[in-house]
Amino acid sequence: MDERLPSMTTAISTAPIQPPVQPVGVEAINHALQTMPQSPGVYRMLGPKGDVLYVGKALNLKKRVTSYTHVSRLTERLRRMVSETRGMEIVTTHTEAEALLLEANYIKRMQPRYNILLRDDKSYPWIMLTDKHDFPQISKHRGKPVKGASYWGPFASAWSVNQTLNLLQRTFLLRSCSDSEMQGRTRPCLLHQIHRCAAPCTDRISRADYAELAGQARDFLAGRNPHMREQLGREMEEAAGALEFERAAAIRDRIRGLSALQQDSSVINPSTMTDADIIAIWQIAGQSCIQVFFIRAGRNNGNRAFFPAHARDENAPDVLAAFIGQFYDDKPPPAHVLVNQDLPELDVLESALSLRRGRRVEITHPRRGEKRAVIEHAEINAREALERRMAESAGQARLLQGVADLFGLDAPPRRIETYDNSHIQGANAYGVMVVGGPEGFDKRAYRKFSIKGPVTPGDDFAMMREVLERRFRRALKDREEGVRPGDWPDILLIDGGAGQYTAVRGVLDELGVTGVTLVGIAKGPDRDAGREWFHTEGRAPFQLPPRDPVLYYLQRLRDEAHRFAITTHRAGRSRTLVRSELDDIPGVGPARKRALLKHFGSARGVRQAGLGELEHAPGINRDMARAIYGYFHPDWTGE
């Protein structure tokens, strides 16, 4: 070693390095305030693991966040939130309306536990009419809109849109089949026979006449041409006068369909409004129900009840305002929104919805007249829905208390997980988990497990082992980190007897899963419902009285898991069965496959097509056409 170099040992400190202390509570907020701008924006309170505790918006971020440092002025809920805060994040916006839209989007995505939450995970159906086709198709649509089509809605439920769609088909005789189905037809389908389609697939109607029907449908859906029924009446009389009785009868059927469409489906249908949502909230004992009625083009598109999650001390105007912001996060609002409360920051909410729609949106709280009557009707629906839910919850609470008493739990279970699997001789094997609790079946928590390991036909133990290992390895990690504590089950229910119970018990012991009551439910003699045997730790197998409500409840959990397993297996098997031989052609991906099927009508049509026909197919170049033709004709030399 070169003696001119300094000794390295003298440069190393033996004192342990202390990590920086993370600020907590008000100290963390004050730390964030040092760089907080005085501009509109959204702020997020962060917990110990970086999880979002709360999302809020403000016209002046610094002024709004400063209010959280005055702990004595806060409610108990907000004081608890501040005590858990470890940091803050902000996003600035140009206006307070933009901040409100961003806040609603964050709340829906992040689900902070201190916010008022709209738990709405469903998409709403629309009626779609294609534009870029000689014979436009009318159908139900969910999800993102696609180009080349017009949309009307939303509808509150699939039942509402299906009922309207059926009447539209009766009235305007538009096709509902896909383009490929239409091209492959050689004779009319059943819908033509029952007078719900004009059968353009077999040239039973001219392009010009079909275009007239499609235009009438567009006018009706948009609320135009209110005198359509009178026009059809005159056409029917002219046809009858000319002794064209079949045509007159067809027009008569269309008039009946139009009359059914124009009938009010509910008291809620204000004649003075053609495009509006009617939203009413009702509160009982700290719980809320919000009813939404959709009015479009003067027609009632149905209604739906929502039960937002919030603290028991939240007042109705605040809950309703938060609901409206989140409700319209992923859908355009109508021109008018009728509510039954005076909302806080109404101007900001109206500006945000107008920004979301691209045109003015007006929120009103009617005090008299027809609009007040429809709001009162919505209130009645909200109250009755909330009363039904509370009655069901009370009954559910009694059942869960009975489950706790039966299996020796200290308190009613908050989460019961039930497992089952389904396969046919080891093929398309799936395991499933369904979840029950105080709110009934929690379908958002259901899980599907596609079995990845090699499965010996009939080896249900191996399938269950894989499902439980995948379920609990992640859950154990989350539990150690304090993430998603509500995902830990109180009871694990499996469909099986002593053998299945012992196998699952071994898997849980290997994984180190504790604090979970394992229960096996075995079918009785001759698989009779009501004579099941139950297996659990520390007790001999036992049965319950045939009419015991707890027995019925446990049967429902088992049967729901079985139903979900069968449905999942069938869906997976269907995807395998619809696999086309086109999938095996190198270079043919999903887009080219769709183009080929649309152009030729079926995989058989592609197989029988000549080389020249393939070269002229959309999206298929010469080299790709030769590859496809060569695949179906292995003896072809390419000349």
Side-chain angles (χ1 to χ4, degrees):
M1 176 182 288
D2 191 341
E3 295 181 356
R4 292 172 297 177
L5 295 177
S7 173
M8 297 297 293
T9 58
T10 60
I12 299 177
S13 173
T14 58
I17 299 175
Q18 297 292 334
V21 178
Q22 184 182 25
V24 179
V26 174
E27 183 182 350
I29 296 174
N30 283 325
H31 181 75
L33 283 170
Q34 296 176 10
T35 56
M36 189 80 62
Q38 297 185 9
S39 60
V42 173
Y43 58 92
R44 288 177 287 182
M45 303 282 198
L46 304 180
K49 300 293 183 180
D51 51 315
V52 179
L53 302 174
Y54 183 80
V55 175
K57 60 91 185 159
L59 177 62
N60 185 319
L61 281 169
K62 190 164 189 174
K63 183 177 179 181
R64 179 71 184 91
V65 173
T66 300
S67 66
Y68 291 104
T69 62
H70 305 299
V71 179
S72 60
R73 303 177 187 174
L74 302 177
T75 63
E76 177 60 31
R77 179 178 64 91
L78 292 181
R79 284 200 295 269
R80 189 166 60 252
M81 179 193 73
V82 169
S83 68
E84 296 179 20
T85 300
R86 299 296 186 273
M88 293 190 66
E89 292 179 349
I90 65 166
V91 177
T92 59
T93 59
H94 293 96
T95 64
E96 191 177 9
E98 291 179 357
L100 191 149
L101 292 176
L102 183 60
E103 175 198 37
N105 181 267
Y106 279 168
I107 291 173
K108 287 198 73 173
R109 286 197 294 111
M110 300 174 181
Q111 298 284 295
R113 65 177 180 272
Y114 286 102
N115 280 97
I116 298 169
L117 300 179
L118 164 61
R119 292 173 176 170
D120 179 28
D121 56 354
K122 68 171 284 184
S123 60
Y124 291 83
W126 296 65
I127 286 178
M128 179 184 74
L129 187 60
T130 55
D131 296 329
K132 299 179 180 179
H133 198 282
D134 293 337
F135 299 101
Q137 171 201 15
I138 191 168
S139 62
K140 178 175 64 177
H141 179 82
R142 286 184 186 268
K144 294 183 179 180
V146 296
K147 293 182 179 179
S150 302
Y151 295 88
W152 290 272
F155 288 79
S157 63
W159 181 88
S160 299
V161 73
N162 288 337
Q163 184 184 48
T164 303
L165 198 57
N166 290 337
L167 291 172
L168 286 170
Q169 287 178 297
R170 282 176 51 190
T171 306
F172 302 107
L173 308 178
L174 301 181
R175 70 178 178 96
S176 59
C177 58
S178 65
D179 294 346
S180 59
E181 288 175 325
M182 176 183 171
Q183 291 173 357
R185 283 215 158 272
T186 58
R187 61 181 182 178
C189 66
L190 179 62
L191 290 178
H192 176 69
Q193 305 298 330
I194 61 176
H195 308 294
R196 282 175 51 184
C197 179
C201 54
T202 54
D203 299 325
R204 299 296 178 97
I205 185 172
S206 68
R207 187 175 302 177
D209 290 342
Y210 192 93
E212 183 179 355
L213 291 175
Q216 291 176 355
R218 286 190 174 91
D219 289 343
F220 178 81
L221 288 168
R224 299 187 293 266
N225 197 0
H227 305 294
M228 190 180 300
R229 186 159 49 178
E230 289 79 359
Q231 294 176 5
L232 289 174
R234 288 193 294 270
E235 291 181 18
M236 182 179 67
E237 292 175 0
E238 292 173 1
L243 304 182
E244 299 176 357
F245 297 117
E246 288 189 10
R247 179 167 172 264
I251 296 174
R252 178 204 61 199
D253 293 340
R254 292 186 59 199
I255 293 173
R256 288 176 178 174
L258 189 62
S259 299
L261 275 170
Q262 291 177 330
Q263 287 177 354
D264 292 346
S265 58
S266 171
V267 176
I268 296 224
N269 198 5
S271 58
T272 56
M273 284 191 173
T274 59
D275 188 23
D277 282 346
I278 297 156
I279 306 178
I281 185 172
W282 193 269
Q283 287 189 324
I284 301 175
Q287 299 184 47
S288 301
C289 174
I290 297 176
Q291 278 280 350
V292 180
F293 284 78
F294 301 95
I295 306 297
R296 297 295 184 274
R299 294 182 307 278
N300 186 349
N301 284 356
N303 63 293
R304 183 164 179 236
F306 299 86
F307 301 92
H310 58 80
R312 299 180 68 86
D313 58 351
E314 293 283 3
N315 59 52
D318 289 339
V319 173
L320 187 57
F323 168 86
I324 290 174
Q326 296 174 48
F327 182 69
Y328 292 113
D329 173 64
D330 56 355
K331 62 182 72 67
H336 301 279
V337 177
L338 273 61
V339 297
N340 68 330
Q341 299 286 333
D342 292 325
L343 300 182
E345 300 182 317
L346 179 61
D347 294 341
V348 177
L349 191 55
E350 283 185 333
S351 298
L353 297 189
S354 300
L355 192 63
R356 179 77 179 84
R357 182 172 184 257
R359 286 179 288 172
R360 170 140 178 85
V361 174
E362 182 182 7
I363 303 175
T364 56
H365 177 194
R367 309 287 183 174
R368 62 183 67 86
E370 182 187 37
K371 294 178 182 178
R372 178 59 193 169
V374 298
I375 276 290
E376 289 176 347
H377 188 81
E379 281 184 341
I380 292 172
N381 278 265
R383 185 195 69 206
E384 292 176 348
L386 184 55
E387 289 173 348
R388 287 194 299 271
R389 182 182 176 89
M390 294 180 71
E392 292 170 359
S393 297
Q396 186 76 3
R398 287 193 294 271
L399 285 174
L400 293 176
Q401 183 60 56
V403 172
D405 295 339
L406 178 64
F407 297 113
L409 275 64
D410 296 332
R414 302 289 302 174
R415 183 182 176 101
I416 303 175
E417 294 183 358
T418 310
Y419 292 83
D420 200 359
N421 54 56
S422 181
H423 63 98
I424 294 181
Q425 293 298 309
N428 303 116
Y430 286 89
V432 299
M433 174 187 81
V434 304
V435 178
E439 304 298 329
F441 291 117
D442 184 3
K443 295 192 175 182
R444 292 171 301 173
Y446 285 18
R447 294 293 180 268
K448 306 173 185 178
F449 302 88
S450 176
I451 304 300
K452 299 176 181 178
V455 178
T456 303
D459 192 354
D460 289 344
F461 290 172
M463 281 185 259
M464 187 62 71
R465 169 181 287 274
E466 179 177 332
V467 169
L468 292 173
E469 286 179 349
R470 288 165 59 183
R471 160 68 178 108
F472 281 102
R473 287 194 192 281
R474 177 61 184 271
L476 287 167
K477 183 178 179 181
D478 289 342
R479 197 182 192 192
E480 291 175 359
E481 297 176 354
V483 180
R484 293 190 291 270
D487 285 356
W488 192 260
D490 299 300
I491 292 179
L492 195 154
L493 183 66
I494 58 169
D495 184 9
Q500 193 82 333
Y501 175 88
T502 303
V504 172
R505 181 75 271 168
V507 174
L508 297 181
D509 291 342
E510 288 178 18
L511 295 172
V513 175
T514 59
V516 177
T517 299
L518 177 62
V519 178
I521 176 172
K523 297 179 179 66
D526 300 322
R527 307 177 73 86
D528 287 344
R531 302 182 66 187
E532 288 87 349
W533 286 90
F534 291 90
H535 302 262
T536 190
E537 188 173 4
R539 295 179 63 178
F542 62 93
Q543 291 179 300
L544 293 176
R547 295 186 180 182
D548 192 326
V550 174
L551 172 62
Y552 290 152
Y553 177 61
L554 296 172
Q555 288 173 343
R556 284 176 55 208
L557 288 170
R558 179 201 58 195
D559 295 344
E560 173 67 3
H562 187 63
R563 179 204 64 80
F564 189 47
I566 293 293
T567 302
T568 303
H569 165 72
R570 286 175 178 169
R573 189 177 62 191
S574 297
R575 286 192 293 270
T576 303
L577 293 175
V578 300
R579 177 177 171 83
S580 168
E581 52 191 328
L582 301 180
D583 295 322
D584 297 324
I585 304 176
V588 175
R592 277 179 173 156
K593 177 184 173 182
R594 284 195 299 270
L596 287 168
L597 291 174
K598 183 177 180 181
H599 185 73
F600 292 102
S602 65
R604 180 181 179 184
V606 179
R607 184 172 62 250
Q608 295 177 344
L611 182 59
E613 293 177 289
L614 290 169
E615 290 179 349
H616 288 89
I620 306 298
N621 56 32
R622 184 174 181 273
D623 292 339
M624 193 70 249
R626 292 170 67 84
I628 296 172
Y629 188 80
Y631 177 83
F632 288 115
H633 302 82
D635 297 332
W636 180 60
T637 61
E639 298 178 358

